[in-house]
Amino acid sequence: MRPDELRGALLGWYRAHARDLPWRGDANPYRVLLSEVLLQQTRVDQAIPYYHRFLQNFPTLEALGRADLESVLKVWQGVGYYARARNLHKLAQTTPELPHTYAELLRLPGIGPYTAAAVASIVFGESVAAVDGNVRRVVARLEAKSNPTPSEVQSKADQLLAPDAPGDWNQAMMELGATVCVPKRPRCPDCPINAWCQGKAQPHLFPSPKARKQTSVEAVALVLVGEGGVHLEPRVGSVLGGLWGVPMEEGEGALERLQARFGVEARYLGEILHAFTHRRLRVRVYQAPWAAAEIPAERPLSRLDQKILALALP
């Protein structure tokens, strides 16, 4: 393999075919950081409207740092993976301005190696390879490796990196993985680096799919309906912490515990299913009258609670 030829082929393709995305070509570190955080576990078409919405409410890192967490989560509502918003808010409270190097970025709360490398290379031109799931897939197929280790992928990405255009290169690798070298039915004939790919004959073998285990959990949600709204309480924990929702319990005796806690007799409404990354919830939804209530639209709610309320308040 001649690295210069491969780099030229991929960069030429990227500059001719890159999607027109609102954060592309933007040298503002905060906006690039926001786009990278949003794109973690969120598709581009879903991320774009939230990108604009977030910037309308928090146009600068300093403005984000001044905001309270609940207002940040309200704007983030619907994107999911709320730890991203909590970490972004915490980062904004730590510094009003992003540092310029990979090493310094990596020290900030919620910034991992990929995000630090993406911002450092795209905004500040630092020669550091950014490795996300798309890049891992491209490298695995180039090398015909079914299960490359993170260090093997990073090492290869470092070797391939175009030192004179690290930002464009990292975006080109990610763009290739997102649009051509996709997980299923990759468009190998359209790939600009097809000639160098060792796995193109059987691309579905590289990399091997990761088994994802989901634990099934039974839960009960109690919708307490009052005049003009429902009773809500703050969520806690790493997944939904900072959001609000209806009272919920897991495990045996959940309904009895909820009824005793609020002194009510609840009636059954139905059930919903909701999947998190490692947990699949089956939630039985009950309803009971309540005196105090508030309007759900005024609080940040998870998709789970929105589904519960849609069943209870059609």
Side-chain angles (χ1 to χ4, degrees):
M1 178 196 301
R2 291 189 58 184
D4 288 346
E5 291 181 358
L6 184 151
R7 290 173 186 142
L10 182 57
L11 286 172
W13 169 85
Y14 172 71
R15 288 162 181 164
H17 297 93
R19 291 169 292 178
D20 184 16
L21 302 178
W23 47 81
R24 288 243 165 102
D26 195 328
N28 183 292
Y30 168 58
R31 292 198 284 266
V32 173
L33 172 64
L34 173 61
S35 71
E36 293 299 339
V37 172
L38 272 170
L39 289 172
Q40 294 166 18
Q41 300 159 314
T42 301
R43 297 197 314 270
V44 166
D45 58 332
Q46 292 177 317
I48 289 174
Y50 284 99
Y51 173 81
H52 291 303
R53 176 180 167 184
F54 203 87
L55 288 178
Q56 285 172 359
N57 285 272
F58 315 111
T60 65
L61 193 64
E62 187 177 2
L64 178 60
R66 290 195 305 266
D68 62 272
L69 178 59
E70 187 168 315
S71 66
V72 173
L73 292 173
K74 181 63 178 174
V75 173
W76 196 269
Q77 181 174 297
V79 186
Y81 297 94
Y82 289 91
R84 295 179 295 173
R86 294 195 300 269
N87 287 332
L88 193 58
H89 181 248
K90 185 177 180 181
L91 181 154
Q93 292 184 316
T94 302
T95 176
E97 185 175 307
L98 290 176
H100 292 193
T101 68
Y102 171 80
E104 291 173 304
L105 286 163
L106 202 55
R107 297 191 189 105
L108 295 175
I111 298 282
Y114 163 74
T115 306
V119 174
S121 62
I122 294 170
V123 180
F124 303 116
E126 185 174 352
S127 292
V128 55
V131 174
D132 68 349
N134 287 316
V135 174
R136 178 179 183 271
R137 185 167 55 257
V138 170
V139 168
R141 287 174 175 167
L142 272 173
E143 299 285 283
K145 290 190 174 182
S146 59
N147 192 28
T149 66
S151 61
E152 287 175 331
V153 174
Q154 186 67 58
S155 176
K156 188 62 181 180
D158 291 339
Q159 291 175 28
L160 293 171
L161 181 70
D164 56 341
D168 279 357
W169 176 262
N170 282 330
Q171 291 180 93
M173 287 285 280
M174 291 183 278
E175 188 81 350
L176 184 68
T179 63
V180 176
C181 193
V182 292
K184 297 179 180 178
R185 299 180 182 175
R187 295 163 40 214
C188 295
D190 299 327
C191 178
I193 56 174
N194 178 289
W196 293 272
C197 183
Q198 299 179 51
K200 62 187 175 185
Q202 295 180 299
H204 60 284
L205 297 180
F206 314 108
S208 298
K210 292 183 177 180
R212 176 177 288 181
K213 294 182 179 179
Q214 281 191 327
T215 302
S216 295
V217 178
E218 301 283 333
V220 171
L222 178 58
V223 182
L224 297 166
V225 182
E227 186 66 32
V230 299
H231 172 71
L232 298 174
E233 53 191 27
R235 292 266 184 248
V236 296
S238 60
V239 178
L240 301 180
L243 302 176
W244 289 71
V246 302
M248 191 180 302
E249 292 269 358
E250 297 178 5
E252 188 176 348
L255 176 60
E256 290 74 16
R257 290 194 300 274
L258 284 170
Q259 291 185 135
R261 176 182 163 196
F262 292 98
V264 298
E265 288 291 331
R267 66 183 181 89
Y268 177 69
L269 297 180
E271 69 176 31
I272 64 164
L273 299 176
H274 188 79
F276 293 102
T277 304
H278 299 296
R279 302 205 318 159
R280 175 175 288 274
L281 284 179
R282 182 183 298 274
V283 183
R284 290 179 289 129
V285 182
Y286 290 79
Q287 181 178 307
W290 194 244
E294 59 181 300
I295 301 170
E298 295 179 351
R299 294 288 194 182
L301 303 173
S302 69
R303 179 60 183 147
L304 168 61
D305 282 288
Q306 292 178 51
K307 288 163 73 172
I308 291 169
L309 291 172
L311 175 62
L313 306 171

